[in-house]
Every structure is written in structure tokens, then in C-alpha cells.
Amino acid sequence: GAVVSQHPSRVICKSGTSVKIECRSLDFQATTMFWYRQFPKKSLMLMATSNEGSKATYEQGVEKDKFLINHASLTLSTLTVTSAHPEDSSFYICSANVQLIAKNIQYFGAGTRLSVL
Amino acid sequence: EDQVTQSPEALRLQEGESSSLNCSYTVSGLRGLFWYRQDPGKGPEFLFTLYSAGEEKEKERLKATLTKKESFLHITAPKPEDSATYLCAVQAGDDKIIFGKGTRLHILP
């Protein structure tokens, strides 16, 4: 079964509205979560690293005021696309990182398809 | 059920000892197969995308190949800096991305 739950799986919104995407780790605590974006025919592009209790680290070229990330608990990170525009339409995927003894395991959500009209 | 299985789970090689990592998959309507490299505590670093059986891609010491059922990541004469976890992921026809659990590769100097 899934160990990372991402919701919603699909969202359609009007231009100018804000959209929140949730990423939850199930049955484990995730101090670090990652948010990715995927363009058609392209692989995932890392947008930001979300750290519980601190500010997210954004990759170069990603607008932090546009893509708000909140990692308020060890099991939940949210990505809010503010004032969405058609060019924000994309596939967003999160992943949660858990570190065990001698292992660093990353689990991924199933993704969210955002369509901005 | 769509599934991605990577093997082995972990692999230790001597520097210069070539080997291959396997990614077996069952998915409806494959749109793409991705290989990533991940260092501890960091997000995956994209390596390759393969779209159709028979396709091959190379980058430095790495070469990825794809068949209808599996992909191999061949590593030739590896160096200690190649030590990392290598992730395979497939994208199905419904956009869903399914990742394998990765192969932890350790290259001994």
C-alpha cells in the first residue's frame, strides 16, 4: 500500500485562484519532504526541499512567493500554488524522506495534475 | 497492478568492477521510464529518460537500456564517487508515477 498520500490527484482551477496540494507520510515521520514538477515529456524537476519546522529550500529559478511550502508537522507538507496561471499547469509530485539505520529511503506520492484555465 | 521492482537492493563493488542494476516493471501504457541518482538527504538527481523498447542512453560511466519488461542501468569501471542510491521510476498512461525502492550502490576504493 501507499506510504505517501498526495491529495488531490487532479485539480482544475480558474486563473488567479490558489491551489493547495497536500503530502502526507503514512505510518512514519518524515523530517524532509521534496516537491517536484514535471513538464510533458520531461522528467521530474525538483522544486524545493521541505524541512519540518523550518523554511523550505527552493531550487534555482523557483519562485518561493509563488509556490508556498509549509511543513508544519512530521507527517504533512503542503504546497500552495498562489494566483495560479495557465503556465502553472503541470504535474506536481511530492516525496517523503525517512532515514533509518544505514538506510535513507524516499517514498513518493502518486502526483497531482493541476490544470489552470 | 502497476509495479516497479529494482534489484538488487544493495550492491557493493570494487572500483573498476563493472555491473548492472535492474528495474523490472509492469505498467499499463508506459509513457516513460526514468533513472535517478540520489545521495543521502538529497532529492533525486535526474539521469535518463527512456521512452520505447530498444532505446539506449549514455552519460559518462552510465548506460541505460530498455525492453518491454525491464530496464538496466549499466555502470562501467565505477569510481567511489558513483556511490549512491539509484532510483527507477515509470510513468503510466494515466500520468501516475511509480517508483522503485532503489538500489544502494557502494563502490569501494
Side-chain angles (χ1 to χ4, degrees):
Chain A
V3 294
V4 172
S5 174
Q6 189 172 338
H7 177 81
S9 58
R10 287 186 182 273
V11 60
I12 301 172
C13 68
K14 293 182 179 181
S15 185
T17 60
S18 294
V19 175
K20 180 185 283 188
I21 302 170
E22 292 187 348
C23 182
R24 292 181 184 274
S25 59
L26 308 176
D27 299 326
F28 70 97
Q29 295 179 331
T31 56
T32 305
M33 291 186 176
F34 301 94
W35 286 97
Y36 297 85
R37 181 175 180 175
Q38 186 181 35
F39 295 97
K41 289 272 185 177
K42 301 281 186 179
S43 184
L44 294 171
M45 293 178 57
L46 181 64
M47 298 175 64
T49 301
S50 173
N51 301 298
E52 188 270 335
S54 63
K55 292 183 179 180
T57 304
Y58 290 82
E59 296 297 304
Q60 190 173 6
V62 178
E63 300 176 60
K64 59 182 180 182
D65 294 330
K66 173 76 172 176
F67 299 98
L68 300 179
I69 291 173
N70 188 330
H71 195 154
S73 78
L74 286 170
T75 60
L76 174 65
S77 176
T78 60
L79 168 67
T80 302
V81 183
T82 62
S83 186
H85 289 91
E87 58 266 28
D88 298 323
S89 298
S90 191
F91 191 63
Y92 295 87
I93 186 169
C94 73
S95 65
N97 199 47
V98 60
Q99 289 187 316
L100 303 173
I101 296 175
K103 285 187 179 182
N104 179 33
I105 301 173
Q106 185 158 173
Y107 298 98
F108 295 83
T112 298
R113 170 68 62 187
L114 171 63
S115 299
V116 184
L117 305 177
Chain B
E1 180 185 4
D2 296 339
Q3 196 169 9
V4 177
T5 304
Q6 286 187 249
S7 62
E9 182 178 344
L11 181 63
R12 294 168 68 91
L13 299 172
Q14 290 293 137
E15 183 174 2
E17 181 185 358
S18 301
S19 188
S20 296
L21 313 182
N22 178 265
C23 173
S24 298
Y25 65 91
T26 53
V27 65
S28 302
L30 179 71
R31 292 186 58 190
L33 185 142
F34 312 111
W35 280 100
Y36 295 87
R37 171 197 167 122
Q38 187 178 28
D39 294 290
K42 297 187 177 181
E45 174 190 355
F46 169 68
L47 293 174
F48 304 106
T49 303
L50 302 167
Y51 292 107
S52 58
E55 191 175 358
E56 297 182 355
K57 289 194 178 175
E58 286 189 67
K59 180 181 178 181
E60 295 179 352
R61 295 178 292 282
L62 299 174
K63 178 181 178 180
T65 61
L66 181 65
T67 71
K68 289 185 178 180
K69 295 182 178 181
E70 59 190 349
S71 176
F72 288 95
L73 182 65
H74 306 276
I75 182 163
T76 303
K79 299 180 178 181
E81 54 260 42
D82 295 321
S83 298
T85 296
Y86 290 86
L87 296 170
C88 169
V90 297
Q91 189 167 31
D94 61 357
D95 277 354
K96 183 178 178 181
I97 293 178
I98 306 147
F99 286 81
K101 293 184 177 180
T103 293
R104 295 190 313 280
L105 178 64
H106 185 53
I107 308 300
L108 302 168

